[in-house]
Amino acid sequence: MADWYNAVTWGVLGALSALNLLVLVYRTEWGAGLRPRVLRALRLMSGREDLRWLDWQPLLVAAGIAFACVTAYGILSGAYGCRPGGSDPIAVLNSGKAFLAGQNPFTVPDCGVSSQVPYGLAAVLISGIGSLGGLPGVYAAWGVVALALIPLTWAVAGPDRRYVTVFVGTSALFVLVVCSQIDGVTNAIVPTTALLSLYLAQRSELVSAVVGGFLSTARFPNLLPILGETGSFPRRRYLSFVTALAVFGGTTALTFAIWGHQFLDPVFISQLGRRSFSLNVYGILLLSNALPGGLGVEVIQGTLIVALLVAVFFGVRSPLAAVSIMLVGFALLTPFLSFTILIWLLPVALVGTRARWWLWGVAFVGSLNYSLALNVWAWDDKVLWPSMICDVVLTVLLLGLFIDLWRGELADRQAGAPPTGIPSEGGSSPSR
């Protein structure tokens, strides 16, 4: 049954989707009539004739205010407090406190129950720092990680950075996912890591590999785009691949040496076999209780992901395309594509115009599926078919995006275009 929270969510989704669509149409021939009006409105807002004021800082401030307001309301209203069955924000807070106290941060007391925290060492460190300020501190620490997407997009997007940053900042995948729940803001570390790695690679490929390998311990699938990206490095691709893998493996081994299976089970094993729900085509099988048990699905998934990683490492010349293909490939193959995981796809917006159109469709259908078709109709009212339709549509959109990314890469290769994706200052960014 829908309530006021769902109604607000749908309203925000509709407004964001319309605004994000307006940003897309603005650059098309259909938007020719809109451009003068948009420019006039922006000039009225700023009181300036030029638009040089519209850089990442105003967007960051606006996003920060929105995040702070939602967070403050959640804390003050008790929405983030204890409730029967546990509270995810409280679990993250207790995880950070346990880490600072030298205790197990991966299984913690949570409102009278025991909760597993499926985040690795990099995430636990962030939660630990934030826990010094209580629940507001935890949200502030993770908010910095999530909001870093705005300046990082600006830094990596090349000369079209103003337009691309506005698109990312108005995407439902950014605002709704980050503001809706703690899982959204913590999952933001995946696209943040990807963009930070791309940015650092402009200066040092090895530094990029080290930072990417360590931050990937927060959510282990994030290692896939980092490893895929190293294959397109022009100088030290094999060394960077080994370095990223060694940093990730060494940090993981150190964590296992300290906490053993208390770390391994919640962070790796339980996540590999997680089948709560999924917004891709796996969701149909999960809703119908038809997904086969055992390890067969995971073995097939793992084999295909490794094959994709090999193909990307040896076949993709653009670091940005490599990151994007690996992220979209994972979204297609995982049997647990949650709403919050969709934020992982935001770096795809930097690839070009066609990718942004696909991404808009993914954001709209995925948000609609989770907030209405799944959360209300399927789980509350037991009406399954709307969510199943959305699962199919989202999978088609992801598959179309995946094919388009490969086609763009192959077209650039055939045309002899220089690799893109780690633009230098004043360099170019892909526009396909």
Side-chain angles (χ1 to χ4, degrees), residues 145 186-195 219 221-222 225 327 343-344 347:
V145 173
T186 54
N187 268 291
I189 196 171
V190 174
T192 295
T193 298
L195 291 178
R219 301 302 303 267
N222 193 31
L327 288 171
I343 197 175
W344 295 13

Side-chain angles (χ1 to χ4, degrees), residues 373-421:
L374 189 64
N375 198 38
V376 177
W377 289 338
W379 289 342
D380 288 349
D381 301 334
K382 310 305 177 185
V383 178
L384 305 182
W385 64 264
S387 183
M388 291 180 174
I389 292 176
C390 287
D391 291 339
V392 173
V393 174
L394 184 63
T395 302
V396 170
L397 290 170
L398 289 171
L399 186 59
L401 174 57
F402 183 79
I403 293 172
D404 204 51
L405 290 171
W406 270 111
R407 288 179 60 189
E409 179 64 24
L410 293 174
D412 285 349
R413 183 181 290 274
Q414 292 173 358
T420 55

Side-chain angles (χ1 to χ4, degrees), residues 56-409:
W56 63 270
Q57 287 98 337
L59 293 170
L60 180 64
V61 170
I65 291 173
F67 178 74
C69 290
V70 174
T71 300
Y73 172 80
I75 293 174
L76 295 175
S77 68
Y80 296 162
C82 280
R83 63 188 69 177
S87 163
D88 288 343
I90 298 298
V92 173
L93 171 62
N94 289 340
S95 174
K97 289 181 176 179
F99 174 75
L100 294 182
Q103 301 170 356
N104 173 22
F106 306 106
T107 302
V108 296
D110 178 14
C111 304
V113 299
S114 181
S115 291
Q116 290 187 335
V117 180
Y119 307 132
L121 186 59
V124 168
L125 283 171
I126 296 171
S127 298
I129 294 171
S131 68
L132 295 173
L135 199 55
V138 166
Y139 269 92
W142 280 107
V144 169
V145 173
L147 295 175
L149 283 169
I150 296 294
L152 284 172
T153 297
W154 180 273
V156 177
D160 207 23
R161 55 174 57 94
R162 178 172 285 105
Y163 176 74
V164 175
T165 306
V166 169
F167 174 84
V168 170
T170 57
S171 173
L173 292 185
F174 178 67
V175 180
L176 272 185
V177 174
V178 166
C179 291
S180 62
Q181 49 188 294
I182 190 68
D183 279 350
V185 70
T186 54
N187 268 291
I189 196 171
V190 174
T192 295
T193 298
L195 291 178
L196 179 60
S197 178
L198 288 167
Y199 174 74
L200 292 175
Q202 301 176 38
R203 290 149 178 82
S204 171
E205 294 168 354
L206 291 181
V207 171
S208 170
V210 170
V211 173
F214 174 73
L215 291 179
S216 293
T217 61
R219 301 302 303 267
F220 68 88
N222 193 31
L223 184 64
L224 297 169
I226 301 302
L227 293 178
E229 168 199 4
T230 60
S232 55
F233 286 170
R235 292 178 296 276
R236 302 182 179 88
R237 66 172 184 162
Y238 291 107
L239 182 57
S240 298
F241 181 94
V242 172
T243 299
L245 192 61
V247 170
F248 176 87
T251 304
T252 300
L254 175 62
T255 311
F256 180 75
I258 298 173
W259 286 288
H261 283 282
Q262 292 178 324
F263 151 73
L264 193 65
D265 291 346
V267 176
F268 283 90
I269 296 176
S270 65
Q271 294 305 298
L272 286 171
R274 187 167 181 179
R275 300 182 176 188
S276 306
F277 67 94
S278 191
L279 300 182
N280 55 20
V281 75
Y282 282 105
I284 298 175
L285 300 174
L286 290 169
L287 287 171
S288 305
N289 294 317
L291 189 64
L295 296 176
V297 173
E298 285 73 22
V299 170
I300 294 174
Q301 175 200 8
T303 302
L304 291 175
I305 285 178
V306 171
L308 177 61
L309 176 59
V310 172
V312 167
F313 184 87
F314 289 105
V316 177
R317 299 187 307 157
S318 162
L320 178 56
V323 167
S324 300
I325 289 171
M326 289 307 305
L327 288 171
V328 176
F330 177 81
L332 278 167
L333 293 171
T334 179
F336 178 59
L337 180 61
S338 71
F339 173 59
T340 53
I341 287 178
L342 289 178
I343 197 175
W344 295 13
L345 301 177
L346 278 179
V348 176
L350 280 67
V351 173
T353 302
R354 290 173 63 91
R356 287 191 284 273
W357 279 101
W358 287 110
L359 200 60
W360 182 88
V362 169
F364 180 74
V365 174
S367 302
L368 187 66
N369 188 1
Y370 180 77
S371 63
L372 178 60
L374 189 64
N375 198 38
V376 177
W377 289 338
W379 289 342
D380 288 349
D381 301 334
K382 310 305 177 185
V383 178
L384 305 182
W385 64 264
S387 183
M388 291 180 174
I389 292 176
C390 287
D391 291 339
V392 173
V393 174
L394 184 63
T395 302
V396 170
L397 290 170
L398 289 171
L399 186 59
L401 174 57
F402 183 79
I403 293 172
D404 204 51
L405 290 171
W406 270 111
R407 288 179 60 189
E409 179 64 24

